[in-house]
């Protein structure tokens, strides 16, 4: 099997071939490809395709699936953030129970850089270095200026909806000066927490602490973090005329275009990465033997959406730092184990 074929997952109409992972990364059909740092450096690459304030799409090329998945899991579970950990309920006469209300409050992303705070152990007292304090004081009442017969709760009542914008940061110690340029607040002001009606009140104090997603999902800095293999569409035989139009319709917009060459309409692949690999083209007999669908085994398309606490490019950088730290720990443990084994001999 050619190297290119070994590095491809083949998509057929009724099955997927060449999917089995090897016992050792980068080895195929029992033929081991020896690892070298120089070879890895030549093959490895990261290309940023799209970057917005909350999302990043990038390609990671030249790595095994285990490395790509390790990066994804670190993004989900091991990048620390600040989140509401304790809710001290003073008064709650709304319809939502205390524990449900506390859970909803905990999921509100807080605009605070975790790098500015220390870890708080269960036995540590709250300080301005490890805790952020918010207060929530809301009372619902009838709006006397509402028009007679008004039915919209937002106009008929005052504070009928409790929103994240009503969380008030209560700076402790020197926090007000430390965070003067970036005051601490919820990332979004329009998150609905609960609803109240006249006479109902919520009064509570909220303490934010530093944590990671593997302890609770509220600490995860990403809304989504996923990857997929790069699709590859090979046209083995020219597809022309009406078949070219039908071929284009088998793929999402932008994957295949119909061009005119020497007066003949011809199908041409222009952007295979947009393909969802639906296999629709494999359902039609006129395309049998004319097209080959594969995925590149070591080319991963990552999509990461931040909750807004940490910029997406910074998230990826911090995740790589965690991965490097894990590798260093593993190397040290392995070296210690080898040294201990030699001592026993």
């Amino acid at each position: 099997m050619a190297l290119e074929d070994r590095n491809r997952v083949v998509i057929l109409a009724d099955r997927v071939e060449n999917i089995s992972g090897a016992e050792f990364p980068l080895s195929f059909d029992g033929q081991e490809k020896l690892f070298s740092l120089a070879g890895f450096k030549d093959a490895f690459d990261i290309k940023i395709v799209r970057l917005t304030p909350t999302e990043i799409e990038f390609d990671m090329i030249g790595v095994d699936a285990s490395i790509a998945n390790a990066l994804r899991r670190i993004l989900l579970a091991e990048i620390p953030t600040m989140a509401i950990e304790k809710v001290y309920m003073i008064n709650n006469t709304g319809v939502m129970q205390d524990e449900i209300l506390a859970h909803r409050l905990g999921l509100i992303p807080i605009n605070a850089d975790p790098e500015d705070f220390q870890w708080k152990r269960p036995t540590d007292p709250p300080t301005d270095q490890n805790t952020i304090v918010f207060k929530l004081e809301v009372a619902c009442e009838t709006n006397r200026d509402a028009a007679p017969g008004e039915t919209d709760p937002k106009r008929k009542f005052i504070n009928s909806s409790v929103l994240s914008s009503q969380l008030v940061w209560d700076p402790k110690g020197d926090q007000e000066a430390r965070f003067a340029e970036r005051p601490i607040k919820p990332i979004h002001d329009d998150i609905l927490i609960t609803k109240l009606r006249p006479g109902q009140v919520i009064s509570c104090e909220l303490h934010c602490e530093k944590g990671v997603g593997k302890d609770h999902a509220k600490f995860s800095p990403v809304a989504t973090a996923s990857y997929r293999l790069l699709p590859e569409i090979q046209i083995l035989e020219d597809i022309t005329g009406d078949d070219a139009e039908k071929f284009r319709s088998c793929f999402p917009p932008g994957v295949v275009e119909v061009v005119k060459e020497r007066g003949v309409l011809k199908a041409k692949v222009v952007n295979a990465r947009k393909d969802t690999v639906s296999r629709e083209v494999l359902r039609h007999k006129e395309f049998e033997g004319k097209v080959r669908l594969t995925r590149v085994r070591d080319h991963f398309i990552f999509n990461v959406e931040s909750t807004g606490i940490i910029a997406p490019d910074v998230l990826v950088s911090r995740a790589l730092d965690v991965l490097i730290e894990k590798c260093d720990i593993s190397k040290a443990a392995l070296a210690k184990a080898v040294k201990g084994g030699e001592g026993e001999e």
Side-chain angles (χ1 to χ4, degrees), residues 278-291:
S278 66
R279 307 191 211 182
E280 173 65 23
V281 69
L282 301 179
R283 296 178 59 247
H284 304 283
K285 291 186 177 180
E286 55 265 51
F287 301 133
E288 285 185 8
K290 295 184 177 182
V291 61

Side-chain angles (χ1 to χ4, degrees), residues 44-277:
F44 179 73
D45 197 10
I46 291 182
K47 298 179 180 178
I48 297 177
V49 177
R50 179 173 56 89
L51 178 62
T52 72
T54 57
E55 296 181 53
I56 185 172
E57 179 182 338
F58 66 93
D59 291 5
M60 180 178 282
I61 305 166
V63 296
D64 184 70
S66 57
I67 302 298
N69 198 47
L71 181 64
R72 182 189 70 87
R73 291 175 68 91
I74 290 170
L75 283 165
L76 288 168
E78 297 192 50
I79 306 297
T81 65
M82 301 296 291
I84 296 170
E85 175 69 6
K86 292 183 173 64
V87 177
Y88 299 95
M89 201 68 67
I90 300 168
N91 192 11
N92 175 22
T93 58
V95 296
M96 186 173 289
Q97 299 95 329
D98 292 353
E99 59 271 26
I100 304 300
L101 180 60
H103 182 266
R104 290 180 65 84
L105 288 165
L107 294 173
I108 297 173
I110 303 299
N111 187 10
D113 191 340
E115 298 284 307
D116 297 328
F117 293 89
Q118 300 173 355
W119 292 93
K120 182 179 179 295
R121 294 172 297 183
T123 55
D124 291 340
T127 70
D128 60 330
Q129 300 298 317
N130 61 25
T131 302
I132 300 170
V133 177
F134 284 96
K135 291 193 175 178
L136 180 61
E137 305 279 350
V138 184
C140 182
E141 57 186 41
T142 301
N143 183 5
R144 296 180 181 180
D145 297 329
E150 179 65 67
T151 58
D152 185 352
K154 294 180 180 179
R155 295 191 180 97
K156 188 175 182 180
F157 310 122
I158 298 173
N159 292 329
S160 62
S161 295
V162 182
L163 303 175
S164 53
S165 59
Q166 292 170 287
L167 294 179
V168 179
W169 175 40
D170 184 14
K172 302 297 181 182
D174 65 347
Q175 287 182 348
E176 189 168 12
R178 283 165 55 200
F179 305 111
E181 295 183 2
R182 186 186 176 185
I184 296 174
K185 60 186 289 294
I187 292 290
H188 305 287
D189 291 333
D190 58 350
I191 298 175
L192 179 63
I193 300 171
T194 187
K195 292 188 176 183
L196 300 177
R197 287 300 179 262
Q200 296 179 346
V201 175
I202 292 177
S203 175
C204 56
E205 182 172 296
L206 322 171
H207 287 198
C208 303
E209 297 177 8
K210 191 172 180 177
V212 291
K214 63 183 178 182
D215 293 329
H216 195 289
K218 66 185 177 185
F219 291 112
S220 182
V222 297
T224 58
S226 63
Y227 63 80
R228 60 191 177 98
L229 293 177
L230 176 71
E232 187 178 61
I233 304 168
Q234 300 174 1
I235 297 179
L236 307 176
E237 183 180 327
D238 287 349
I239 300 173
T240 60
D242 293 339
D243 283 350
E245 292 289 351
K246 185 174 182 179
F247 186 80
R248 177 172 64 176
S249 68
C250 292
F251 298 90
V255 175
V256 174
E257 294 294 342
V258 177
V259 298
K260 202 168 189 178
E261 292 185 1
R262 299 178 182 178
V264 178
L265 294 177
K266 181 179 176 181
K268 183 179 180 180
V269 178
V270 293
N271 193 350
R273 70 182 294 120
K274 290 185 176 181
D275 187 30
T276 56
V277 196

